Amino acid sequence: MTDGRTLKRWMRVYIDGYDMSGYTREIGPLAWTYDEIEQKALSDGVNGALPGHCEIGPGTLNGIFDNTADSGLHAVMNSGGVLRDVMVAVGIQAIPAQGDHVFMGSFNQLDYMTAPSGEDIALTLPFAKTSPAEGMLYDQPWGRLLHANAAVTDVNSATGIDDHGASSAFGGWMMYQILSVVGEGDVTVKIQDASTNSDGSFGDLTGATSGEIAHTAVPASGIVQLGKTATVKRYLRWQIVLDGITSCTFVLAFVRGR
Amino acid sequence: MSVQLATIANSIAGMTVSGLTIKDIDEIPTTINQRDLPLLIPEPDKYISVPKIEVDSFGTGSNRKMTLAYNLNYMLIYGLIGAGRINILDSYAGMLAKACAFLDAIYVLDGLTGAVDFNAVIGDPVIRTIGDLDYHSIDIQVNVKEFIN
């Protein structure tokens, strides 16, 4: 992960197990908003916001109409009123890599609008904001990429990332986007944590697993939330279990609770 | 962060395009050896064109964010005119194909070391006279963008 600023060409968008980057012109604003409370007392010096009460949303996805069967933007997202797992990975002057920041969540696609735009046919896909009341225990949409979009054929024996500088006791949540597999069987994508960033120190982070995903269910995506007081050690890495499946292309990110 | 022109030129020279030799800015030949053709070389008299600097933030000279954009101009020297067996335009289609092959190669790159954004276009086919010999040639322009700070 490089440090510094970047360009939007280095963003990647994954929705419901599909890589929509090649069809997406823009997505945003990636909002994380705490409304000011209306009620305030006479002696309050400033307006405040209620912690834990926020609205999170990916804004609008502006894309390019493409009717490629099974995977084009039209084929995958041609309906409104559908809850979608949206992950926006931000690469820093390069393709997103392990450790880069990710905005993600489960959002209602409100609409599917098609209109000419210049010489293209443009798509406008607005998403609703979501709030903790819709099932999420956490009010943070920004996390870190643990596995960038790539095929994996074996277990992970590499080191992980240090996203926090220390262990934490506030849980967290993960999103997986399984884009494709080779072979027939099951795949499990999970997160391991460790106090020391070395292969032998990592162990499964309790609860941070997709469970077995059958090859017939791919493309697949999902959110897994840990308990809000779960301990998450300092270092994190992805891990995989391949059973029958010989290769799995996936993206995995984690938001550490605070 | 310093201007990365030399690094970018080196990255371009390091690209692999079948049947094409790409030269770096310190490898520009002064004579053409026909056995080295086709050859993609920096155009010495106008290698950098349309430089544009945008200041993106406040700050001192070493802190303020800036974006530098410019074009790097190359000439693809394809072959000697009249070297074919049929007519003097024998190699014209091959030259265009080789230029497109370079574009294909740069379009699929995930990154170009030194540049935060890049692209390429083909220019006009021209007949270039080098050392009293005429060559089929075509201009290729690589557009690059760098972050300063």
Side-chain angles (χ1 to χ4, degrees):
Chain A
M1 185 190 94
T2 307
D3 291 334
R5 55 191 171 128
T6 189
L7 296 171
K8 69 179 181 182
R9 71 166 284 172
W10 301 117
M11 296 172 73
R12 295 294 182 266
V13 179
Y14 307 100
I15 300 176
D16 289 351
Y18 294 89
D19 182 356
M20 289 303 172
S21 308
Y23 308 108
T24 301
R25 283 180 169 150
E26 285 184 337
I27 185 166
L30 307 176
W32 186 12
T33 309
Y34 288 82
D35 288 334
E36 289 184 29
I37 54 173
E38 293 183 2
Q39 295 175 336
K40 50 188 182 288
L42 292 174
S43 58
D44 284 345
V46 294
N47 287 344
L50 292 173
H53 291 253
C54 65
E55 289 185 322
I56 298 166
T60 298
L61 187 153
N62 293 312
I64 299 169
F65 182 90
D66 186 296
N67 73 339
T68 302
D70 300 325
S71 61
L73 198 51
H74 178 74
V76 175
M77 301 185 67
N78 67 350
S79 57
V82 178
L83 201 61
R84 301 200 184 275
D85 294 330
V86 179
M87 178 189 287
V88 182
V90 183
I92 304 299
Q93 301 172 33
I95 294 172
Q98 178 178 270
D100 282 338
H101 294 274
V102 177
F103 179 98
M104 59 193 195
S106 184
F107 309 104
N108 257 313
Q109 178 187 334
L110 294 174
D111 214 331
Y112 179 83
M113 294 182 283
T114 309
S117 173
E119 294 188 351
D120 293 326
I121 297 177
L123 288 176
T124 302
L125 311 177
F127 287 88
K129 291 181 180 177
T130 192
S131 68
E134 291 179 83
M136 286 296 291
L137 301 173
Y138 300 89
D139 63 346
Q140 301 119 265
W142 283 99
R144 294 296 191 95
L145 197 62
L146 296 185
H147 187 266
N149 182 1
V152 167
T153 57
D154 205 350
V155 298
N156 185 13
S157 58
T159 54
I161 68 163
D162 180 2
D163 67 310
H164 187 61
S167 173
S168 62
F170 303 103
W173 62 282
M174 68 180 239
M175 179 184 286
Y176 58 89
Q177 300 267 354
I178 300 176
L179 308 180
S180 66
V181 295
V182 175
E184 296 185 354
D186 299 313
V187 59
T188 302
V189 169
K190 57 186 178 180
I191 295 174
Q192 293 183 322
D193 65 347
S195 301
T196 305
N197 199 9
S198 64
D199 181 30
S201 299
F202 280 91
D204 290 348
L205 176 58
T206 304
T209 175
S210 65
E212 289 184 344
I213 306 287
H215 70 278
T216 51
V218 175
S221 65
I223 288 174
V224 179
Q225 302 184 73
L226 307 182
K228 290 205 74 177
T229 58
T231 297
V232 180
K233 294 175 184 173
R234 178 174 176 178
Y235 300 98
L236 299 168
R237 74 175 185 184
W238 63 270
Q239 191 49 270
I240 197 168
V241 177
L242 298 168
D243 183 8
I245 289 173
T246 56
S247 173
C248 176
T249 300
F250 70 99
V251 187
L252 179 65
F254 181 74
V255 176
R256 185 183 291 262
R258 57 174 190 174
Chain B
M1 185 176 173
S2 59
V3 176
Q4 298 291 300
L5 173 62
T7 302
I8 294 170
N10 183 257
S11 299
I12 294 170
M15 288 173 57
T16 300
V17 181
S18 177
L20 179 67
T21 303
I22 306 173
K23 294 295 188 182
D24 203 341
I25 52 177
D26 58 355
E27 299 172 326
I28 302 173
T30 53
T31 57
I32 299 294
N33 187 336
Q34 292 183 40
R35 285 176 298 180
D36 294 333
L37 297 179
L39 202 58
L40 185 69
I41 59 175
E43 199 164 351
D45 57 349
K46 59 168 184 175
Y47 184 54
I48 306 169
S49 63
V50 199
K52 184 180 173 186
I53 186 83
E54 283 187 31
V55 179
D56 300 317
S57 75
F58 301 132
T60 62
S62 58
N63 288 330
R64 61 178 179 167
K65 306 283 190 264
M66 295 182 284
T67 302
L68 173 64
Y70 51 90
N71 300 331
L72 296 177
N73 298 297
Y74 287 78
M75 48 187 184
L76 193 158
I77 312 295
Y78 187 74
L80 203 58
I81 287 181
R85 296 181 178 181
I86 302 174
N87 59 51
I88 63 170
L89 291 176
D90 256 9
S91 54
Y92 190 76
M95 176 184 69
L96 292 178
K98 195 61 69 181
C100 288
F102 177 82
L103 293 188
D104 288 341
I106 203 165
Y107 289 161
V108 299
L109 283 180
D110 289 333
L112 191 66
T113 306
V116 297
D117 201 358
F118 56 94
N119 225 320
V121 291
I122 297 176
D124 298 323
V126 296
I127 295 174
R128 280 199 161 85
T129 302
I130 304 172
D132 293 329
L133 293 174
D134 294 334
Y135 295 88
H136 282 298
S137 174
I138 190 166
D139 293 338
I140 294 179
Q141 190 177 78
V142 181
N143 319 121
V144 298
K145 188 176 286 186
E146 293 186 43
F147 283 153
I148 306 296
N149 297 332

